[in-house]
Amino acid sequence: MRATVLIRPKGGILDPQGEAVGHSLRKLGFDVRTARVGRVVDLEIEGDDAESARGEIRRMCEELLANPLIESYEIEVDGS
Amino acid sequence: MVFPGSNDDRDAAWALGSVGAEPALVWHGETSLPAATGAVVLPGGFSYGDYLRTGAIASTAPVMAAVREFAATGGPVLGICNGFQILCEARLLPGVLRANRQLEFVCRDVRVRVETATSLFMQRCKVGQELVIPVKHGEGAWYADEGTFVQLAARGQIVLRYEEDVNGSLGNVAGVVNEVGNVMGLMPHPEHAVDPLLGSADGGLLLAALVDAAAAHRVAVPA
């Protein structure tokens, strides 16, 4: 089963990387108000139960993939 | 401790030796600490290439279970730079280290002020004392939410603050201790400030205090 985890800097958390990206985009002439930069983790995991996969991935996020102090995460499990 | 990508492990060992310690380098894959360990130092570097988040992967290394246990018995644990990042990711210390506000690597001597001198690491310093210790990091902006920050300051867990804004660190925090006061992390490198010929020996004050604490711990909790 395939799943994707989207990790973002939490709202209100300063994101210097996103600011730098936004600044560069504006320099290129794009009308960008804000840019925030996060991370994508694609996973391939055993099993075919989407609910239990979701629970397992939530634990992965809490234990390693995201730092809950500064990051939020979103889990997308491929329906198969 | 030596993680893949640690690069200040030997500097730390040399500096600790210069203030009377008998350091041993311990590989991250070990599951126990050497018998008669009096203190643990997590050195600077770029463990696991800073993948995911600085210190995140090293915080799950096998040896970290032994470090956690050592800390729980009151053993002194000092994290320097990447070591500080690892201790935060391992949640042995509060907060997290993020990319410098200016997104530039900063590498120079900085002045830090001693905020509290009660923890074992500060026994050779006085409150208000100014220390000159170099920093060299790209991800040294310490952050915690407002409530945590206020609580830490009230409990005296903010140990060192920069005298200026070095990296966007919340409250100019340069070093913190855990609630008990036996685990400390700081971004400046005391092991690079142990010889006046190289600019400052102020880092030696912290390392010498750690050596004192190590001796005391060995007596209190014999191997």
Side-chain angles (χ1 to χ4, degrees), chain A residues 18-58:
Chain A
E19 281 182 14
V21 169
H23 182 71
S24 291
L25 287 172
R26 281 189 290 277
K27 268 205 313 206
L28 289 171
F30 292 106
D31 193 11
V32 173
R33 203 170 295 164
T34 59
R36 311 267 295 165
V37 176
R39 201 184 308 121
V40 171
V41 181
D42 287 324
L43 297 166
E44 231 185 298
I45 52 176
E46 295 296 333
D48 50 14
D49 179 50
E51 258 333 284
S52 73
R54 203 172 278 278
E56 186 83 344
I57 296 168
R58 202 169 296 128

Short mmCIF file of all heavy atoms in Angstrom, two decimals, chain A residues 18-58:
data_model
loop_
_atom_site.label_atom_id
_atom_site.label_comp_id
_atom_site.label_asym_id
_atom_site.label_seq_id
_atom_site.Cartn_x
_atom_site.Cartn_y
_atom_site.Cartn_z
N GLY A 18 10.71 29.52 3.31
CA GLY A 18 9.57 29.94 2.52
C GLY A 18 9.66 31.42 2.14
O GLY A 18 9.35 31.81 1.01
N GLU A 19 10.11 32.24 3.10
CA GLU A 19 10.26 33.67 2.82
C GLU A 19 11.26 33.91 1.70
O GLU A 19 11.05 34.74 0.81
CB GLU A 19 10.71 34.41 4.08
CG GLU A 19 9.57 34.67 5.05
CD GLU A 19 10.03 35.45 6.28
OE1 GLU A 19 11.16 36.00 6.27
OE2 GLU A 19 9.26 35.47 7.26
N ALA A 20 12.38 33.16 1.75
CA ALA A 20 13.41 33.32 0.71
C ALA A 20 12.88 32.88 -0.65
O ALA A 20 13.13 33.53 -1.67
CB ALA A 20 14.65 32.52 1.09
N VAL A 21 12.10 31.78 -0.66
CA VAL A 21 11.52 31.30 -1.91
C VAL A 21 10.52 32.33 -2.45
O VAL A 21 10.54 32.67 -3.64
CB VAL A 21 10.84 29.93 -1.70
CG1 VAL A 21 10.01 29.54 -2.91
CG2 VAL A 21 11.89 28.86 -1.41
N GLY A 22 9.66 32.86 -1.57
CA GLY A 22 8.69 33.87 -1.97
C GLY A 22 9.38 35.10 -2.55
O GLY A 22 8.98 35.64 -3.59
N HIS A 23 10.45 35.50 -1.90
CA HIS A 23 11.22 36.66 -2.34
C HIS A 23 11.77 36.44 -3.76
O HIS A 23 11.68 37.30 -4.63
CB HIS A 23 12.35 36.91 -1.35
CG HIS A 23 13.19 38.10 -1.66
ND1 HIS A 23 12.72 39.39 -1.51
CD2 HIS A 23 14.45 38.20 -2.14
CE1 HIS A 23 13.68 40.23 -1.87
NE2 HIS A 23 14.73 39.54 -2.26
N SER A 24 12.32 35.24 -3.99
CA SER A 24 12.89 34.93 -5.31
C SER A 24 11.80 34.90 -6.37
O SER A 24 12.01 35.35 -7.49
CB SER A 24 13.61 33.59 -5.28
OG SER A 24 14.77 33.70 -4.51
N LEU A 25 10.64 34.34 -6.02
CA LEU A 25 9.54 34.27 -6.99
C LEU A 25 9.09 35.68 -7.38
O LEU A 25 8.84 35.97 -8.55
CB LEU A 25 8.36 33.48 -6.40
CG LEU A 25 8.59 31.96 -6.31
CD1 LEU A 25 7.46 31.30 -5.53
CD2 LEU A 25 8.73 31.33 -7.69
N ARG A 26 9.03 36.57 -6.37
CA ARG A 26 8.63 37.96 -6.67
C ARG A 26 9.66 38.63 -7.56
O ARG A 26 9.32 39.39 -8.47
CB ARG A 26 8.42 38.74 -5.37
CG ARG A 26 7.07 38.43 -4.71
CD ARG A 26 6.77 39.37 -3.55
NE ARG A 26 7.65 39.12 -2.40
CZ ARG A 26 7.42 38.16 -1.49
NH1 ARG A 26 6.36 37.37 -1.57
NH2 ARG A 26 8.26 37.98 -0.49
N LYS A 27 10.94 38.32 -7.32
CA LYS A 27 12.00 38.90 -8.16
C LYS A 27 11.86 38.45 -9.61
O LYS A 27 12.23 39.15 -10.54
CB LYS A 27 13.39 38.50 -7.62
CG LYS A 27 13.94 39.49 -6.65
CD LYS A 27 15.46 39.49 -6.55
CE LYS A 27 16.06 38.10 -6.42
NZ LYS A 27 17.36 38.08 -5.76
N LEU A 28 11.32 37.24 -9.79
CA LEU A 28 11.11 36.71 -11.15
C LEU A 28 9.84 37.29 -11.78
O LEU A 28 9.52 36.97 -12.92
CB LEU A 28 11.01 35.18 -11.11
CG LEU A 28 12.32 34.44 -10.82
CD1 LEU A 28 12.05 32.95 -10.58
CD2 LEU A 28 13.32 34.60 -11.96
N GLY A 29 9.12 38.10 -11.01
CA GLY A 29 7.95 38.77 -11.57
C GLY A 29 6.64 38.09 -11.23
O GLY A 29 5.58 38.51 -11.70
N PHE A 30 6.68 37.02 -10.43
CA PHE A 30 5.43 36.34 -10.07
C PHE A 30 4.74 37.09 -8.93
O PHE A 30 5.40 37.60 -8.03
CB PHE A 30 5.70 34.90 -9.64
CG PHE A 30 6.18 34.03 -10.78
CD1 PHE A 30 7.51 33.65 -10.87
CD2 PHE A 30 5.30 33.62 -11.77
CE1 PHE A 30 7.96 32.86 -11.91
CE2 PHE A 30 5.74 32.83 -12.81
CZ PHE A 30 7.06 32.45 -12.90
N ASP A 31 3.41 37.09 -8.99
CA ASP A 31 2.64 37.83 -8.01
C ASP A 31 2.34 36.91 -6.81
O ASP A 31 1.23 36.44 -6.64
CB ASP A 31 1.34 38.31 -8.68
CG ASP A 31 0.63 39.34 -7.82
OD1 ASP A 31 1.24 39.81 -6.84
OD2 ASP A 31 -0.53 39.65 -8.13
N VAL A 32 3.36 36.66 -6.02
CA VAL A 32 3.23 35.71 -4.90
C VAL A 32 3.16 36.48 -3.59
O VAL A 32 4.03 37.31 -3.31
CB VAL A 32 4.45 34.76 -4.86
CG1 VAL A 32 4.41 33.89 -3.61
CG2 VAL A 32 4.47 33.89 -6.10
N ARG A 33 2.12 36.21 -2.81
CA ARG A 33 2.01 36.91 -1.53
C ARG A 33 2.84 36.19 -0.47
O ARG A 33 3.65 36.79 0.20
CB ARG A 33 0.54 36.99 -1.11
CG ARG A 33 0.30 38.13 -0.14
CD ARG A 33 -1.18 38.37 0.10
NE ARG A 33 -1.89 38.82 -1.08
CZ ARG A 33 -3.22 38.81 -1.19
NH1 ARG A 33 -3.96 38.35 -0.20
NH2 ARG A 33 -3.80 39.23 -2.27
N THR A 34 2.63 34.87 -0.32
CA THR A 34 3.46 34.12 0.63
C THR A 34 3.81 32.76 0.05
O THR A 34 3.07 32.21 -0.78
CB THR A 34 2.73 33.86 1.97
OG1 THR A 34 1.54 33.12 1.70
CG2 THR A 34 2.40 35.14 2.70
N ALA A 35 4.94 32.23 0.47
CA ALA A 35 5.32 30.86 0.13
C ALA A 35 5.77 30.19 1.42
O ALA A 35 6.43 30.80 2.25
CB ALA A 35 6.46 30.87 -0.89
N ARG A 36 5.36 28.96 1.61
CA ARG A 36 5.78 28.18 2.79
C ARG A 36 6.35 26.87 2.25
O ARG A 36 5.77 26.28 1.34
CB ARG A 36 4.58 27.87 3.70
CG ARG A 36 3.71 29.08 4.03
CD ARG A 36 4.06 29.78 5.28
NE ARG A 36 3.86 29.01 6.50
CZ ARG A 36 4.40 29.36 7.67
NH1 ARG A 36 5.14 30.44 7.75
NH2 ARG A 36 4.19 28.63 8.74
N VAL A 37 7.45 26.44 2.82
CA VAL A 37 8.11 25.24 2.31
C VAL A 37 8.02 24.11 3.33
O VAL A 37 8.38 24.30 4.50
CB VAL A 37 9.59 25.52 1.94
CG1 VAL A 37 10.29 24.24 1.50
CG2 VAL A 37 9.67 26.56 0.84
N GLY A 38 7.54 22.97 2.88
CA GLY A 38 7.46 21.80 3.75
C GLY A 38 8.19 20.63 3.13
O GLY A 38 9.18 20.80 2.42
N ARG A 39 7.67 19.42 3.38
CA ARG A 39 8.38 18.21 2.99
C ARG A 39 7.36 17.15 2.61
O ARG A 39 6.25 17.12 3.17
CB ARG A 39 9.18 17.75 4.21
CG ARG A 39 10.33 16.85 3.92
CD ARG A 39 11.01 16.38 5.20
NE ARG A 39 11.36 17.44 6.13
CZ ARG A 39 10.92 17.53 7.38
NH1 ARG A 39 10.12 16.64 7.88
NH2 ARG A 39 11.29 18.53 8.15
N VAL A 40 7.72 16.30 1.65
CA VAL A 40 6.84 15.19 1.25
C VAL A 40 7.56 13.87 1.52
O VAL A 40 8.73 13.74 1.16
CB VAL A 40 6.49 15.28 -0.25
CG1 VAL A 40 5.76 14.02 -0.69
CG2 VAL A 40 5.65 16.51 -0.54
N VAL A 41 6.89 12.94 2.16
CA VAL A 41 7.47 11.60 2.36
C VAL A 41 6.52 10.58 1.71
O VAL A 41 5.35 10.47 2.10
CB VAL A 41 7.64 11.27 3.86
CG1 VAL A 41 8.26 9.88 4.03
CG2 VAL A 41 8.50 12.31 4.55
N ASP A 42 7.00 9.88 0.68
CA ASP A 42 6.23 8.82 0.06
C ASP A 42 6.59 7.50 0.71
O ASP A 42 7.77 7.18 0.85
CB ASP A 42 6.54 8.75 -1.45
CG ASP A 42 5.93 9.92 -2.21
OD1 ASP A 42 4.81 10.33 -1.83
OD2 ASP A 42 6.56 10.41 -3.16
N LEU A 43 5.58 6.75 1.10
CA LEU A 43 5.82 5.49 1.80
C LEU A 43 5.18 4.34 1.05
O LEU A 43 4.12 4.49 0.44
CB LEU A 43 5.20 5.54 3.21
CG LEU A 43 5.74 6.59 4.19
CD1 LEU A 43 4.79 6.71 5.38
CD2 LEU A 43 7.13 6.21 4.66
N GLU A 44 5.84 3.19 1.13
CA GLU A 44 5.24 1.96 0.65
C GLU A 44 5.23 1.05 1.86
O GLU A 44 6.30 0.77 2.42
CB GLU A 44 6.12 1.36 -0.46
CG GLU A 44 5.34 1.03 -1.71
CD GLU A 44 6.22 0.32 -2.72
OE1 GLU A 44 7.20 0.96 -3.17
OE2 GLU A 44 5.95 -0.84 -3.02
N ILE A 45 4.05 0.62 2.29
CA ILE A 45 4.00 -0.18 3.52
C ILE A 45 3.21 -1.47 3.32
O ILE A 45 2.41 -1.58 2.40
CB ILE A 45 3.39 0.64 4.70
CG1 ILE A 45 2.05 1.24 4.28
CG2 ILE A 45 4.33 1.73 5.14
CD1 ILE A 45 1.36 1.97 5.40
N GLU A 46 3.48 -2.41 4.21
CA GLU A 46 2.80 -3.71 4.14
C GLU A 46 1.34 -3.56 4.58
O GLU A 46 1.01 -2.67 5.34
CB GLU A 46 3.50 -4.72 5.07
CG GLU A 46 4.93 -5.06 4.67
CD GLU A 46 5.02 -5.75 3.32
OE1 GLU A 46 4.05 -6.42 2.91
OE2 GLU A 46 6.07 -5.60 2.66
N GLY A 47 0.51 -4.47 4.13
CA GLY A 47 -0.88 -4.50 4.57
C GLY A 47 -1.80 -3.79 3.60
O GLY A 47 -1.35 -3.06 2.71
N ASP A 48 -3.11 -4.03 3.74
CA ASP A 48 -4.04 -3.39 2.81
C ASP A 48 -5.22 -2.73 3.52
O ASP A 48 -6.23 -2.41 2.92
CB ASP A 48 -4.52 -4.40 1.74
CG ASP A 48 -5.01 -5.69 2.37
OD1 ASP A 48 -5.23 -5.69 3.62
OD2 ASP A 48 -5.16 -6.69 1.65
N ASP A 49 -5.08 -2.56 4.84
CA ASP A 49 -6.15 -1.89 5.57
C ASP A 49 -5.81 -0.41 5.75
O ASP A 49 -4.86 -0.06 6.47
CB ASP A 49 -6.36 -2.58 6.94
CG ASP A 49 -7.45 -1.88 7.72
OD1 ASP A 49 -8.54 -1.66 7.16
OD2 ASP A 49 -7.21 -1.53 8.90
N ALA A 50 -6.54 0.43 5.07
CA ALA A 50 -6.22 1.87 5.03
C ALA A 50 -6.25 2.48 6.44
O ALA A 50 -5.40 3.31 6.78
CB ALA A 50 -7.19 2.60 4.11
N GLU A 51 -7.24 2.04 7.25
CA GLU A 51 -7.38 2.63 8.58
C GLU A 51 -6.19 2.31 9.48
O GLU A 51 -5.67 3.17 10.18
CB GLU A 51 -8.70 2.21 9.23
CG GLU A 51 -9.77 3.29 9.16
CD GLU A 51 -9.25 4.73 9.09
OE1 GLU A 51 -8.81 5.24 10.13
OE2 GLU A 51 -9.26 5.34 8.00
N SER A 52 -5.78 1.02 9.45
CA SER A 52 -4.65 0.68 10.32
C SER A 52 -3.36 1.31 9.79
O SER A 52 -2.48 1.70 10.56
CB SER A 52 -4.51 -0.84 10.48
OG SER A 52 -4.03 -1.42 9.30
N ALA A 53 -3.26 1.44 8.44
CA ALA A 53 -2.09 2.11 7.86
C ALA A 53 -2.03 3.56 8.34
O ALA A 53 -0.98 4.07 8.74
CB ALA A 53 -2.15 2.06 6.34
N ARG A 54 -3.18 4.19 8.34
CA ARG A 54 -3.26 5.58 8.76
C ARG A 54 -2.79 5.74 10.22
O ARG A 54 -2.04 6.66 10.55
CB ARG A 54 -4.71 6.06 8.62
CG ARG A 54 -4.90 7.53 8.49
CD ARG A 54 -6.35 7.83 8.16
NE ARG A 54 -6.62 7.67 6.73
CZ ARG A 54 -6.36 8.60 5.82
NH1 ARG A 54 -5.80 9.74 6.18
NH2 ARG A 54 -6.64 8.40 4.55
N GLY A 55 -3.22 4.82 11.06
CA GLY A 55 -2.82 4.86 12.47
C GLY A 55 -1.32 4.67 12.63
O GLY A 55 -0.66 5.37 13.41
N GLU A 56 -0.80 3.71 11.86
CA GLU A 56 0.63 3.42 11.90
C GLU A 56 1.44 4.65 11.44
O GLU A 56 2.45 5.02 12.06
CB GLU A 56 0.90 2.22 10.96
CG GLU A 56 2.30 1.69 10.99
CD GLU A 56 2.56 0.72 12.13
OE1 GLU A 56 1.75 0.68 13.07
OE2 GLU A 56 3.59 0.01 12.08
N ILE A 57 0.98 5.28 10.37
CA ILE A 57 1.70 6.43 9.82
C ILE A 57 1.61 7.62 10.79
O ILE A 57 2.55 8.40 10.94
CB ILE A 57 1.17 6.80 8.42
CG1 ILE A 57 1.45 5.65 7.45
CG2 ILE A 57 1.81 8.08 7.91
CD1 ILE A 57 0.74 5.75 6.12
N ARG A 58 0.47 7.73 11.47
CA ARG A 58 0.34 8.80 12.47
C ARG A 58 1.43 8.64 13.53
O ARG A 58 2.07 9.60 13.95
CB ARG A 58 -1.05 8.75 13.10
CG ARG A 58 -1.49 10.06 13.73
CD ARG A 58 -2.96 10.04 14.11
NE ARG A 58 -3.84 9.92 12.97
CZ ARG A 58 -4.81 9.01 12.84
NH1 ARG A 58 -5.04 8.12 13.80
NH2 ARG A 58 -5.57 8.98 11.76
#
